[in-house]
Amino acid sequence: MEVITHNTGKDAGRISVLHTIATMDVGETWAVEDSLVVREYARNACSRYSHLSGKSFTVNAPRENAGMIEITRTK
């Protein structure tokens, strides 16, 4: 997995969730701070990409890791 950032535009320098999840392998988990990625946006990006690619993801915000979002590629 590789964390990809936007190079241009209004989001330059910020994490590209869509491009980052595209680099994930099955079983891989990406833990990212919720200050860097909005959980609802991550869920939407995973859902959209899942429909386009056939890959599946889960998005969680576990209580034991407060302030973190965990995205896992499941299939």
Side-chain angles (χ1 to χ4, degrees), residues 14 32-38 67 69:
R14 297 188 68 175
V32 62
E33 293 181 27
D34 63 2
S35 62
L36 299 175
V37 173
V38 177
I69 298 169

Side-chain angles (χ1 to χ4, degrees), residues 41-70:
Y41 178 78
R43 286 184 197 274
N44 288 335
C46 288
S47 176
R48 251 187 7 242
Y49 187 67
S50 180
H51 289 315
L52 293 172
S53 68
K55 300 175 182 178
S56 298
F57 300 88
T58 60
V59 180
N60 295 309
R63 288 185 178 187
E64 60 274 2
N65 284 339
M68 296 295 286
I69 298 169
E70 292 180 354

